[in-house]
Amino acid sequence: MEKIYTQSIFKTCKSLSKLALIAVLIVLSGASLFAQSALIKITGTVKDSKGEALIGVNVLLKGTKVGAATDIDGKFSINVPDTKAVLVVSYIGFTAKEVAVGSQKVINVVLTENESSLNEVVVTGYGQTVKKSDLVGSISSVSAKQLKERQPTSLADALEGQMAGVQAVTDGGDPLSPGTVQIRGMSSLNSGNGPLYVIDGILNDDASFINPQDIASIEVLKDAASSAIYGVRGANGVILITTKQGQDGKARLNVNYYHLFGKLAHKLQTTSARDLTYYRRVENGGAGTGAAVNPDSVSTFDNKDNDYQDLLYRTGNKDNINLSVAGGQKGLLYYGSLNYTNDNSIIINSYAKTFTTLFNVDYQATDRVKITNHISVNYITGNSVDVGNTASTVFQRNPWVSLYRPDGSLAGYVESKRNPVAYALLGENVPTTYTIQDDLVGSYQITNDLRFTASGSARLDDMNRQTFIPTSITSGALGPDSGTSYVDNKLLYDLQAFFNYSKTINKDHNITAVAGFSRDRHNDNGYNLALQNYLSESIRVSSVATLVNTGINSTATYSSTESLFARAQYSYKDRYIINGTFRRDGSSRFGDQNKWGDFGAGGFAWRFSQEHFMDWAKKYIDDAKFRYSVGVLGNDNLTDFGYSTLLNFGVGTVATNSGSYNGQNAAYVSPNLGNPTLRWEKTTIQNFGLDLTMFGGRLVITPEYYIKLTNGLLSSQILPEETGLKSGAINLGNISNRGFELTINATPISSKNFSWNLNGNITFQNAGLITYLNPTATAIQGSYLIKQGGHIGDFYLLKNLGVYRWDVSNEYDTQGNRLTPVGVNAAGTTATGYTEANGTPYTGTMHQLTRNGKILNGGSTIWQDTNNDGVIDENDRQVLGNAIPKILFGVNNYVTYKHWTINFLFNAAFGNKVYNSIANGLNVESSNYTPPTVALIVVTARTKISKITFFIWEDGSLVNLIGKFKTVFEHNMIRRVTYHQAKIAGLSSPFQFLIIKGQLLLINCKAHFPAFAGF
């Protein structure tokens, strides 16, 4: 009997949910209008020390919430009650200034850059902010100023190389890929390593629907003290994203356009028709006939020499246009944007089209009531070209075979290998996704120290994927044509209610706290149809095709969590700071006995620069602080209902996915065994940090050391076939991540006309060390070895020792030592004798190595026979490297001379290996149909070469250089022209179009540079 789990996992919180709803209604109903008395209008401009207008500067009436912001010309307008009013003018990266109004009607302000970042405010979550100087946890930031300078094309691009301990990768090639971000190594094995994204206070599993040009600031929470407040969702780190908001004043329209183009940095060497012909002759003993060995010289089909990379790849082009408007008046601020992207990737027929819109409204209903609404809509569609059927086939298909049939149509299979060009042009894989998210937030200022906030959000993802393969590119063009229609609908809602408290007592004691409740639920429903024999290949809908019964299925699942959380921080004279966090999470993904988990963190900071014993260093050190934190975080991200064995319905059994009986669909036991003892995956993080600010803020040094231990890894375990089942969820074991991070921000030169700012970071990490492994766990997973004492990402492969020079080179003694042949004939097939490594003649028993039943001859790879049984097979594999980098670093430079700025970023990773699965598959000596790698043919032809390292695993080190040049023209028609971001070791090179006063200026150029040799 199927057991259905639908009851609430936290019955006692039902009353809290009702209270939170009532509180939201109270907040929303508290709106009222407020009267105004006679006011004085003040106008003016705000510029920097170089005379350039500053856009978006906050101009606030001191002691109130009345404010304005400067427009594109640096102008502002604000109403004040009387001549005693004082204006506070502030801008990120500049020293705030207070100006008394007096009898002035026009006030012009000049702000100076603040070298020190100590007073910058950092978002810490759930309505809390803290000065950077008062941080206890490990938080890295990307400010609005940095985002404006870089103009990132994606979130991963915005983070790439900017922070120690954060590895951001902009996945190359696929225009539909959002990129990946990982914080301080791997915390989990199969339950996901991606961070939690909190967008304007709303929790999300991804931020793919956010346009980077709408982002105002980014904070990355890396340790337990900062991320424990998010409990079950924060074990892999948290990324807080604040989007742009409206500003007081007239509506400001901004239009931004850029064009990127990219090309393959360099081609990989492939087998030519001549090389392959020679190789096959050698494999056939130096002779042979037929097209496989000696193609017909007059055949138009078998007499080509295709360079499939030239045919498959093209110059990629990406266009992006963004339109935004921001403005507001007293009590009402708004920001809206529209963004369109058309990305044609470097593989033919690979593209993505994206439309994104965002609308933010802040309404200050009364002095105490504020309502905020964020609405975002995202639409994306495109064609995702299958790499396995195109890019991989470049190295597998015979180069002499024509792409076309005699009738001019694209050919499909030849010698069991697909035509990569045909599959790219004619195959279709078109996902279309609509995403809409709406957040409504209401806050009520109960007292000057206490504020209540309630929010509700919902996100809907509606995805439809259509695939199609025409008859013409099937094997032998015999068909049938086939396709699928897949629909997936995801609905997420999130409710939050919390109190914020902030109190300063006698100037020396500062207390901040937050406490609240949250609840979220994810629903996921999918439906798939498998289709074939379309009535017309130009009409690709299910009603004109035959349904394939074994490919029809539907899925439905849900998960939910409920949580109570609290955090408090106390500081004494800003010298001694302590904080603590507690969170209790309940998850529907665990059984009754393990449903709840308690997590928490604590930390302290000591600003020892304020101690008397540091008086001697005050002329050099502005601020020095030591901090330490420790905490435990939870993770439930594996599978829904993994604690219970479920029933499946319709077509399928455990063995054959067929659940029909006498032609009738029936229910059957799921092949996934439930595990009622499944428990929370827990990660304990310790962080040691030192913050040093020196020489008036011109040098900031932050070294950190972290220890990250994960216990009870959630993973799917393959079960013995005797059970009749396939897999089950288990707590696999424990892993450890340790690392040292160093961040340096410096201003070596700062003068009126010339400045140089440098931001650098480096991370040394020992990631993914397996400290304990469940005795029942599977040790080998594909090309990786999972064992206690090893590392996650260890490549478990055959070791390549070089290449046999002659056929007779494949001879070994009884101990497995390779012998050296002497007196070898010209063909390399016979030898008069053999010697050992020390030159001593050998006359004992000898044996040859075989692989896949074939003796390895001259030109074949020399594999290490680990167990000395004479057969190269799976038992000879060993750990040969690891996929995780050991060193990460980024160096960002800004050099400015008058109105000219050069920015260049070095981003690098060292110490990791890359597994070349394609090369491995081409050199298994199991088939003559698949062309081998060029290295194998070269060695076969040039028998004087006795050793070469190639194939299988390669050095994965990477150095990427991103450069940008910008200038500002003083002209009443042209405000800015920006030449943006030429990626030297990448695939794209963006330049920036910005706007002009009242007009749009589209002056943009693109450039592509080849990768540096040795990179």
Side-chain angles (χ1 to χ4, degrees):
M1 177 177 180
E2 180 183 16
K3 187 175 182 181
I4 302 176
Y5 298 88
T6 57
Q7 69 268 25
S8 172
I9 64 172
F10 191 10
K11 295 181 180 179
T12 59
C13 284
K14 286 185 177 179
S15 58
L16 289 176
S17 300
K18 294 178 180 178
L19 289 175
L21 182 59
I22 293 172
V24 172
L25 295 175
I26 293 174
V27 170
L28 299 180
S29 64
S32 65
L33 301 175
F34 34 145
Q36 301 182 41
S37 57
L39 300 173
I40 302 172
K41 184 177 181 179
I42 304 297
T43 61
T45 60
V46 181
K47 297 183 178 181
D48 63 13
S49 57
K50 298 176 183 178
E52 295 183 15
L54 296 176
I55 306 171
V57 177
N58 292 318
V59 182
L60 187 69
L61 179 61
K62 188 175 182 179
T64 72
K65 295 183 178 180
V66 177
T70 58
D71 60 18
I72 191 172
D73 296 312
K75 296 179 180 180
F76 70 91
S77 175
I78 188 172
N79 295 322
V80 300
D82 51 46
T83 57
K84 297 180 180 179
V86 176
L87 299 182
V88 180
V89 184
S90 62
Y91 193 55
I92 294 176
F94 291 78
T95 302
K97 182 176 288 187
E98 294 188 3
V99 181
V101 172
S103 59
Q104 303 177 86
K105 297 294 179 67
V106 178
I107 299 177
N108 298 320
V109 181
V110 176
L111 295 182
T112 57
E113 285 200 61
N114 180 9
E115 305 291 353
S116 174
S117 61
L118 294 176
N119 293 320
E120 289 182 9
V121 174
V122 176
V123 177
T124 58
Y126 288 110
Q128 288 191 307
T129 59
V130 63
K131 288 193 302 182
K132 201 168 185 178
S133 59
D134 291 338
L135 280 176
V136 173
S138 180
I139 300 180
S140 297
S141 303
V142 178
S143 67
K145 181 179 178 181
Q146 291 173 303
L147 289 168
K148 181 180 176 181
E149 290 288 344
R150 292 202 64 200
Q151 291 289 319
T153 58
S154 66
L155 178 61
D157 184 36
L159 297 174
E160 188 175 13
Q162 299 297 305
M163 303 173 182
V166 178
Q167 185 177 13
V169 179
T170 52
D171 298 330
D174 187 357
L176 295 168
S177 174
T180 56
V181 179
Q182 191 173 103
I183 300 173
R184 288 186 168 179
M186 301 179 68
S187 298
S188 189
L189 189 61
N190 294 116
S191 56
N193 286 284
L196 168 69
Y197 296 90
V198 182
I199 304 170
D200 292 323
I202 306 304
L203 280 59
N204 284 269
D205 291 328
D206 69 271
S208 59
F209 62 95
I210 291 293
N211 172 25
Q213 296 185 63
D214 290 329
I215 298 175
S217 65
I218 303 171
E219 274 81 30
V220 178
L221 316 185
K222 299 189 290 187
D223 72 331
S226 55
S227 57
I229 191 72
Y230 292 101
V232 60
R233 308 286 293 278
N236 298 321
V238 180
I239 296 179
L240 305 181
I241 298 174
T242 303
T243 59
K244 294 177 180 178
Q245 307 298 314
Q247 300 170 341
D248 275 345
K250 296 180 181 180
R252 291 172 294 281
L253 180 67
N254 185 67
V255 180
N256 183 294
Y257 172 83
Y258 65 77
H259 178 81
L260 311 177
F261 74 82
K263 298 185 71 174
L264 196 65
H266 60 274
K267 295 194 299 183
L268 299 178
Q269 193 173 6
T270 56
T271 305
S272 70
R274 182 178 178 181
D275 291 335
L276 183 58
T277 301
Y278 175 82
Y279 172 75
R280 290 188 173 181
R281 286 174 180 168
V282 171
E283 286 292 295
N284 282 273
T289 60
V293 175
N294 187 23
D296 186 350
S297 61
V298 297
S299 170
T300 58
F301 189 80
D302 291 326
N303 195 34
K304 305 295 182 181
D305 194 359
N306 295 309
D307 187 329
Y308 291 118
Q309 293 178 89
D310 285 344
L311 296 168
L312 185 64
Y313 296 108
R314 64 184 177 184
T315 298
N317 288 276
K318 180 176 182 179
D319 295 283
N320 182 279
I321 186 167
N322 180 263
L323 171 68
S324 65
V325 61
Q329 56 186 356
K330 188 175 182 179
L332 181 65
L333 305 176
Y334 61 87
Y335 173 86
S337 75
L338 296 172
N339 191 85
Y340 173 73
T341 302
N342 183 20
D343 187 355
N344 292 290
S345 185
I346 62 172
I347 294 183
I348 56 176
N349 201 32
S350 174
Y351 67 90
K353 298 179 185 295
T354 306
F355 176 81
T356 302
T357 181
L358 173 70
F359 192 59
N360 292 339
V361 177
D362 294 300
Y363 176 47
Q364 190 72 47
T366 71
D367 288 340
R368 295 184 179 274
V369 178
K370 182 178 180 180
I371 300 172
T372 302
N373 191 218
H374 307 276
I375 301 177
S376 61
V377 178
N378 183 71
Y379 165 82
I380 183 169
T381 189
N383 187 45
S384 182
V385 175
D386 187 349
V387 173
N389 290 335
T390 55
S392 294
T393 312
V394 163
F395 304 94
Q396 299 170 354
R397 196 171 192 261
N398 296 337
W400 64 57
V401 179
S402 174
L403 297 172
Y404 300 93
R405 298 188 180 93
D407 62 2
S409 62
L410 284 166
Y413 280 75
V414 175
E415 292 187 347
S416 76
K417 299 303 174 185
R418 296 178 176 89
N419 181 345
V421 177
Y423 265 80
L425 291 175
L426 302 180
E428 291 187 3
N429 182 357
V430 181
T432 301
T433 302
Y434 297 88
T435 299
I436 180 170
Q437 178 165 299
D438 189 9
D439 324 324
L440 182 63
V441 183
S443 65
Y444 180 73
Q445 196 72 37
I446 301 172
T447 68
N448 291 335
D449 307 320
L450 183 64
R451 182 178 73 252
F452 173 74
T453 302
S455 69
S457 71
R459 172 177 169 176
L460 175 65
D461 293 305
D462 185 8
M463 194 273 281
N464 184 303
R465 182 184 296 273
Q466 304 290 330
T467 68
F468 179 73
I469 299 295
T471 300
S472 61
I473 60 174
T474 60
S475 180
L478 300 176
D481 51 22
S482 61
T484 61
S485 179
Y486 176 69
V487 176
D488 186 54
N489 295 308
K490 295 180 181 178
L491 177 64
L492 161 68
Y493 76 78
D494 179 90
L495 298 175
Q496 300 176 12
F498 52 88
F499 292 90
N500 288 109
Y501 178 78
S502 179
K503 182 73 172 179
T504 300
I505 304 172
N506 296 330
K507 296 183 179 180
D508 292 336
H509 307 273
N510 184 266
I511 302 171
T512 60
V514 61
F517 161 79
S518 68
R519 187 180 197 279
D520 64 75
R521 180 180 172 111
H522 300 244
N523 292 329
D524 190 351
N525 300 302
Y527 189 81
N528 185 73
L529 294 177
L531 309 166
Q532 65 182 23
N533 293 318
Y534 287 75
L535 182 63
S536 170
E537 290 191 351
S538 61
I539 304 174
R540 297 164 188 172
V541 295
S542 59
S543 58
V544 299
T546 303
L547 296 177
V548 181
N549 288 337
T550 56
I552 301 175
N553 60 78
S554 61
T555 59
T557 187
Y558 80 89
S559 64
S560 61
T561 59
E562 290 183 349
S563 308
L564 293 171
F565 57 86
R567 177 171 61 193
Q569 179 165 308
Y570 166 78
S571 70
Y572 174 66
K573 291 186 175 181
D574 288 336
R575 184 183 303 176
Y576 311 106
I577 307 169
I578 60 172
N579 73 5
T581 304
F582 173 78
R583 179 158 177 141
R584 179 170 173 81
D585 286 314
S587 172
S588 66
R589 287 173 168 159
F590 299 108
D592 292 337
Q593 58 183 319
N594 293 312
K595 193 174 297 292
W596 290 96
D598 295 324
F599 311 100
F604 72 89
W606 172 36
R607 180 169 285 105
F608 58 87
S609 58
Q610 294 186 6
E611 303 291 352
H612 292 302
F613 65 79
M614 289 293 292
D615 289 346
W616 63 272
K618 286 187 176 180
K619 62 173 65 176
Y620 312 108
I621 299 178
D622 307 316
D623 188 81
K625 180 180 66 179
F626 172 79
R627 49 188 168 81
Y628 170 77
S629 65
V630 61
V632 180
L633 303 160
N635 189 0
D636 70 342
N637 187 18
L638 182 60
T639 182
D640 298 332
F641 309 108
Y643 59 88
S644 179
T645 302
L646 305 178
L647 291 179
N648 290 342
F649 299 91
V651 180
T653 67
V654 174
T656 64
N657 283 333
S658 177
S660 62
Y661 180 76
N662 286 335
Q664 300 297 317
N665 290 338
Y668 63 97
V669 177
S670 167
N672 300 313
L673 179 66
N675 181 2
T677 66
L678 198 66
R679 57 182 172 83
W680 288 85
E681 179 179 289
K682 295 184 177 182
T683 299
T684 302
I685 305 175
Q686 293 186 71
N687 193 86
F688 304 82
L690 181 65
D691 300 321
L692 296 174
T693 303
M694 307 170 68
F695 307 116
R698 294 181 62 171
L699 178 62
V700 179
I701 302 175
T702 304
E704 293 190 88
Y705 179 75
Y706 65 87
I707 303 172
K708 191 174 181 181
L709 307 175
T710 301
N711 297 316
L713 283 167
L714 292 171
S715 179
S716 180
Q717 170 68 36
I718 299 174
L719 299 177
E721 294 183 0
E722 292 81 359
T723 64
L725 301 171
K726 291 184 178 179
S727 64
I730 66 168
N731 292 103
L732 180 70
N734 307 332
I735 62 172
S736 166
N737 291 277
R738 297 170 185 261
F740 174 77
E741 302 170 353
L742 179 64
T743 302
I744 298 177
N745 297 320
T747 306
I749 302 174
S750 180
S751 63
K752 182 178 180 180
N753 293 325
F754 184 79
S755 66
W756 173 28
N757 295 298
L758 182 149
N759 305 318
N761 64 82
I762 188 168
T763 302
F764 302 90
Q765 61 179 8
N766 181 13
L769 175 64
I770 303 172
T771 58
Y772 169 75
L773 191 66
N774 191 313
T776 64
T778 301
I780 301 174
Q781 296 188 0
S783 300
Y784 300 95
L785 177 66
I786 307 297
K787 72 172 185 177
Q788 189 168 319
H791 288 77
I792 292 176
D794 278 343
F795 289 122
Y796 194 55
L797 307 167
L798 297 174
K799 187 174 182 179
N800 165 27
L801 301 178
V803 176
Y804 292 116
R805 183 174 182 180
W806 299 294
D807 291 354
V808 293
S809 298
N810 180 8
E811 292 290 350
Y812 294 79
D813 64 18
T814 56
Q815 302 300 316
N817 301 310
R818 190 160 68 93
L819 302 171
T820 303
V822 294
V824 181
N825 68 352
T829 56
T830 63
T832 59
Y834 288 87
T835 63
E836 298 180 12
N838 59 8
T840 304
Y842 181 81
T843 57
T845 303
M846 298 184 297
H847 67 275
Q848 295 178 306
L849 300 187
T850 63
R851 188 180 185 195
N852 295 321
K854 296 174 61 178
I855 295 176
L856 301 177
N857 295 323
S860 297
T861 306
I862 304 173
W863 303 110
Q864 182 167 312
D865 186 13
T866 306
N867 59 3
N868 194 28
D869 64 354
V871 179
I872 301 300
D873 55 19
E874 296 296 297
N875 297 319
D876 296 308
R877 294 203 285 174
Q878 55 186 292
V879 175
L880 296 180
N882 190 273
I884 303 175
K886 293 180 173 59
I887 302 174
L888 305 169
F889 86 82
V891 179
N892 206 351
N893 289 270
Y894 293 90
V895 179
T896 302
Y897 176 70
K898 292 186 177 181
H899 299 296
W900 305 82
T901 299
I902 297 175
N903 167 228
F904 51 95
L905 166 67
F906 282 99
N907 180 37
F910 298 105
N912 61 307
K913 298 294 182 182
V914 176
Y915 173 49
N916 191 335
S917 61
I918 294 176
N920 182 50
L922 298 179
N923 294 283
V924 295
E925 288 101 18
S926 62
S927 171
N928 283 343
Y929 285 100
T930 299
T933 57
V934 175
L936 181 58
I937 294 175
V938 169
V939 173
T940 303
R942 302 173 184 175
T943 55
K944 293 183 180 181
I945 299 176
S946 60
K947 184 173 182 180
I948 186 170
T949 301
F950 58 97
F951 317 159
I952 314 313
W953 59 293
E954 302 167 358
D955 188 358
S957 298
L958 169 71
V959 177
N960 196 31
L961 173 60
I962 304 173
K964 180 179 69 174
F965 166 76
K966 183 180 76 173
T967 186
V968 179
F969 295 96
E970 291 296 336
H971 191 281
N972 57 356
M973 287 296 293
I974 300 177
R975 295 298 293 177
R976 273 186 196 183
V977 181
T978 301
Y979 174 116
H980 178 62
Q981 199 170 326
K983 275 195 175 181
I984 292 185
L987 297 178
S988 60
S989 325
F991 283 26
Q992 184 67 42
F993 285 48
L994 290 183
I995 65 164
I996 314 171
K997 179 179 178 182
Q999 298 187 28
L1000 173 64
L1001 180 67
L1002 302 180
I1003 303 177
N1004 197 12
C1005 305
K1006 302 309 295 176
H1008 177 78
F1009 303 93
F1012 288 128
F1015 277 25

